[in-house]
Amino acid sequence: MAEMLPAWVAAGTAEGTEPDGDAIRMLNTLQTNASYLEQVKRERGDPQAQLEAMRGFLERSGLKVEDLDRLNIIHVTGTKGKVRERIRINGQPISKDLFNKYFWLVYNRLEETKDLIHANMPAYFRFLTIMAFHVFLQEKVDLAVVEVGIGGAYDCTNIIRAPVVCGVSSLGIDHTSILGDTMEKIAWQKGGIFKPGVPAFTVAQPERPLEVLRERAQEQKCPLYLCPELDEFEEGCQALELGLAGAHQRSNAALALQLARTWLQRRGCQGLGELKEVPPSTELAGKPVPLAPTFRPTDAMIQGLRDTEWLGRTQMLSHGPVTWYLDGAHTTSSIQACVRWFRQATLNQDKLHDGSEVRVLVFNATGDRDTAALLKLLLPCHFDYAVFCPNFTEVSVANNADQQNFNVTLENALTRCLENQRTWTRLLEEKGGQDPWLPAPLRVGGLLQPAPARGSLLLVPPALNSPALVFPCLAQALRWVAQGRDPHLAAPATSGAHPHPAASSGAVLLREASAIRVLVTGSLHLVGGALRLLDPVLSQ
């Protein structure tokens, strides 16, 4: 099976190694996702022009849209519950050699076909989508799971004409400047991947967005089904064990079962089990959205659900006294799910008799997301400290092509972190003194100053008793949190230490605590950078 994330998946075998720096640096010149989003916003008034441009780029690379019909594609969209590791084959990132082979093949063909009319190169995400199609076709994958990048209707993956089946996972508010600011508008965009005669499945959605999905399906003469709850698949057999934590993963699992069975049916596979109707069908506005029949999952499906791993989503890493909780949640609904998971996970762990547990939030958010709303949702976790830092693993990313972002400077990223710090301080203040670390009134603000001994940046807020700290990079942030107690991280440097009084007093508490529980969330890029530092082998 092959995957492209945020838009793709394929079948085959590959060794997971990093591509060379030259290919990555050249890829970065095609713009990052931030500029791609801006491009989509500019072009959204003429969606047909967007898709025509994508078809043109595809043809210049040596493929036609008709060639994609040879792929067995599962086309997936939604706000949560999707694969997101770029181009993978059988669950592993494609090898360094394969990446380089297909990158330069596509890049050189696009360069060679430039003329007065076709003078442009595709943007970052469009390029990777085209490259993924080349990989999947030439590596002859059995199945390609293609995830939409942004929305659906106007997305560059929507040049796919004949998928085997489509799936829409749970909807949430995200990318509002592109997709719209209501669930109904977002549902309209997501329903844009429906194709005539191609079955589609979705999970339980709010009433009106589900109605919009039904209307979009009717427009396209697409048979749309609502996935029953996972409990229905467990009837008459033991409970299904999921490799992914969190109650919301049960709806994702139910969707995965329906998509997998539909594809297997298309392949003519036998022994899929008898279908069982689940009455009654859901009624919305007087018109039914039929529930998909359930079935007894095969042994392979049961094992697949149990063995599923998703790095950076509801993931725990226990490193001695420090436990890291990693979740790339970045929307209100996914943050809510993250909070439920974190609170339950910490509750399930052994209680410390001496009460010497310190909880730390490591947070960043990017794009046009409402960080104040996200941070407010995290208050019930009762963090002792909140740490804000950019997604960069180190202050200087010049030697790390994989983290280069030509649209975000370090100064801009740190400004965002200072804003998040002030927001967190204000939210704690509004709690009415419930937090013992926060005497009122608090002053908010921040000063950016150099630390000549290290050539880095330190951030000093005048709210000296605030438990909210800003660090210029992930490495410095995580080292301060771990205080040398995580074998994967060096101890924080003694020279040029963070000047904030809470940093020094907090360091003492962190060194003496029996347990340190750290939630890293707000951005998939932040979590990816944390994984790179906490477990370099695993992050590959």
Side-chain angles (χ1 to χ4, degrees):
M1 182 186 73
E3 308 162 276
M4 175 194 162
L5 318 171
W8 331 282
V9 183
T13 57
E15 175 189 358
T17 54
E18 292 187 358
D20 67 42
D22 288 342
I24 292 296
R25 277 186 284 272
M26 191 62 72
L27 176 63
N28 287 339
T29 67
L30 301 179
Q31 306 169 9
T32 61
N33 283 342
S35 57
Y36 171 70
L37 297 182
E38 288 302 316
Q39 182 182 37
V40 171
K41 282 188 280 188
R42 290 193 302 270
E43 296 176 350
R44 62 181 173 178
D46 190 355
Q48 197 58 39
Q50 295 181 50
L51 296 178
E52 286 299 329
M54 183 61 182
R55 293 186 188 99
F57 288 129
L58 186 71
E59 291 185 6
R60 284 172 54 194
S61 77
L63 291 178
K64 294 183 178 180
V65 173
E66 292 79 6
D67 295 323
L68 305 185
D69 296 346
R70 306 201 311 266
L71 289 172
N72 293 310
I73 293 175
I74 294 179
H75 204 184
V76 182
T77 188
T79 307
K80 301 188 302 296
K82 303 164 297 183
V83 272
R84 292 190 63 87
E85 318 318 317
R86 301 299 185 193
I87 305 173
R88 291 175 164 255
I89 293 179
N90 281 353
Q92 297 297 318
I94 61 173
S95 69
K96 173 182 177 179
D97 289 342
L98 275 184
F99 185 96
N100 291 330
K101 170 186 173 181
Y102 289 108
F103 175 86
W104 292 114
L105 180 150
V106 173
Y107 188 90
N108 290 335
R109 285 182 179 174
L110 288 166
E111 277 287 343
E112 293 164 0
T113 53
K114 280 185 175 179
D115 56 31
L116 292 177
I117 299 176
H118 306 99
N120 297 330
M121 293 287 281
Y124 184 93
F125 183 70
R126 286 177 175 174
F127 182 95
L128 283 176
T129 303
I130 294 168
M131 178 176 158
F133 288 142
H134 278 270
V135 172
F136 297 164
L137 283 165
Q138 295 195 38
E139 296 302 313
K140 296 180 171 58
V141 302
D142 300 306
L143 165 68
V145 178
V146 179
E147 181 200 338
V148 163
I150 301 292
Y154 307 158
D155 186 71
C156 62
T157 66
N158 211 27
I159 60 173
I160 295 169
R161 307 188 311 172
V164 174
V165 62
C166 296
V168 180
S169 64
S170 58
L171 301 177
I173 299 292
D174 197 15
H175 299 299
T176 54
S177 60
I178 296 172
L179 304 181
D181 55 2
T182 68
M183 291 280 281
E184 291 81 2
K185 292 177 181 177
I186 291 172
W188 188 94
Q189 295 277 352
K190 305 294 183 180
I193 69 169
F194 296 154
K195 301 296 186 297
V198 175
F201 296 87
T202 189
V203 298
Q205 311 281 8
E207 180 175 339
R208 180 54 190 155
L210 183 57
E211 187 175 339
V212 172
L213 288 177
R214 187 201 67 225
E215 292 168 356
R216 293 285 272 163
Q218 289 176 339
E219 291 170 5
Q220 291 294 324
K221 295 181 171 55
C222 160
L224 175 65
Y225 301 95
L226 189 62
C227 292
E229 295 294 330
L230 196 62
D231 298 359
E232 302 291 343
F233 293 89
E234 298 171 335
E235 188 176 331
C237 61
Q238 62 184 25
L240 294 170
E241 181 182 348
L242 302 186
L244 299 179
H248 59 291
Q249 296 296 350
R250 291 182 64 81
S251 67
N252 292 333
L255 177 59
L257 287 174
Q258 295 287 2
L259 296 176
R261 192 181 199 281
T262 302
W263 179 74
L264 290 169
Q265 278 182 312
R266 174 71 66 91
R267 298 269 296 179
C269 295
Q270 303 298 316
L272 295 179
E274 182 181 355
L275 292 174
K276 298 181 294 183
E277 296 295 332
V278 184
S281 62
T282 303
E283 294 286 338
L284 288 175
K287 297 182 179 180
V289 174
L291 283 175
T294 61
F295 52 91
R296 185 182 181 89
T298 65
D299 291 342
M301 291 177 179
I302 293 172
Q303 181 180 350
L305 293 178
R306 183 177 62 243
D307 296 344
T308 297
E309 293 181 346
W310 192 357
L311 298 185
R313 283 292 202 182
T314 61
Q315 180 182 3
M316 290 175 54
L317 296 176
S318 296
H319 293 177
V322 186
T323 303
W324 304 91
Y325 302 80
L326 309 174
D327 195 311
H330 52 274
T331 66
T332 53
S333 54
S334 59
I335 286 287
Q336 287 171 328
C338 171
V339 168
R340 289 192 295 268
W341 163 71
F342 176 76
R343 297 182 71 180
Q344 187 61 49
T346 53
L347 186 65
N348 290 341
Q349 293 185 326
D350 294 336
K351 295 287 186 181
L352 296 171
H353 297 296
D354 60 5
S356 56
E357 172 185 301
V358 178
R359 291 188 178 189
V360 183
L361 169 67
V362 178
F363 181 91
N364 191 41
T366 59
D368 56 3
R369 295 179 176 89
D370 184 353
T371 52
L374 301 183
L375 288 171
K376 187 173 184 178
L377 293 172
L378 290 161
L379 287 175
C381 294
H382 302 295
F383 294 106
D384 300 294
Y385 291 92
V387 171
F388 302 97
C389 65
N391 295 337
F392 307 127
T393 53
E394 301 287 351
V395 172
S396 173
V397 295
N399 295 322
N400 186 357
D402 192 46
Q403 282 205 311
Q404 286 182 342
N405 186 329
F406 297 150
N407 292 278
V408 180
T409 65
L410 176 60
E411 287 75 16
N412 289 341
L414 287 173
T415 299
R416 182 74 175 264
C417 292
L418 284 168
E419 292 171 355
N420 292 338
Q421 179 194 40
R422 289 192 288 268
T423 298
W424 183 257
T425 302
R426 174 179 57 79
L427 289 170
L428 289 180
E429 186 180 20
E430 290 172 356
K431 288 174 61 178
Q434 296 177 28
D435 194 300
W437 295 99
L438 287 177
L442 283 175
R443 293 169 294 142
V444 296
L447 171 66
L448 194 64
Q449 66 181 38
R454 301 173 66 191
S456 63
L457 297 167
L458 296 176
L459 295 116
V460 187
L464 296 182
N465 290 314
S466 168
L469 304 173
V470 173
F471 288 85
C473 67
L474 257 170
Q476 291 187 31
L478 300 190
R479 287 171 192 150
W480 179 82
V481 171
Q483 289 296 315
R485 304 181 70 187
D486 184 329
H488 293 78
L489 295 171
T494 54
S495 62
H498 201 303
H500 193 305
S504 56
S505 60
V508 174
L509 289 176
L510 289 164
R511 286 194 294 267
E512 296 178 350
S514 297
I516 304 171
R517 310 207 185 281
V518 190
L519 175 62
V520 184
T521 192
S523 165
L524 283 164
H525 297 287
L526 179 77
V527 168
L531 270 176
R532 179 187 291 269
L533 295 167
L534 296 172
D535 198 331
V537 175
L538 183 64
S539 70
Q540 295 304 317

